[in-house]
Amino acid sequence: TVESLVASGLTPEQATVMTGYPSWMTVAFAIGVFGGLVGSVLLLLRKAVAKPVLATSLVAYVALWIGDLVYGVFAAMDAPQVIILTVVVAIAAGLYIVSRHPAARA
């Protein structure tokens, strides 16, 4: 709730934004996290299926970045949120690029 988030240290505006964004953003976050985890394991195992899994993770994180911009998360949370999510997108992009390298596939 807004009240519990304010009690944990967020401003009322930040708490309102965090409780008001659409559920697809939570789904995008979950796909990004679990896709990145599974894709990284597949990459370590040199499985070709790592490429589409990591691509899905990257697309989910880009969608989340756009959602944070559109729904005011970046505006409410300021620079740290922008920096953190931009770094996450960059890491996801890097993993996808590595998965495209022939040596990464069996």
Side-chain angles (χ1 to χ4, degrees), residues 24-76:
W24 70 262
M25 289 177 62
T26 302
V27 172
F29 177 76
I31 291 169
V33 169
F34 292 112
L37 175 64
V38 171
S40 294
V41 170
L42 292 169
L43 190 60
L44 285 171
L45 297 173
R46 296 181 182 254
K47 300 294 182 182
V49 73
K51 183 178 172 184
V53 172
L54 290 169
T56 302
S57 174
L58 175 58
V59 168
Y61 278 131
V62 169
L64 184 61
W65 197 99
I66 293 168
D68 277 6
L69 180 66
V70 169
Y71 289 101
V73 177
F74 287 157

Side-chain angles (χ1 to χ4, degrees), residues 15-27:
T16 300
V17 168
M18 295 305 290
T19 58
Y21 61 74
S23 59
W24 70 262
M25 289 177 62
T26 302
V27 172

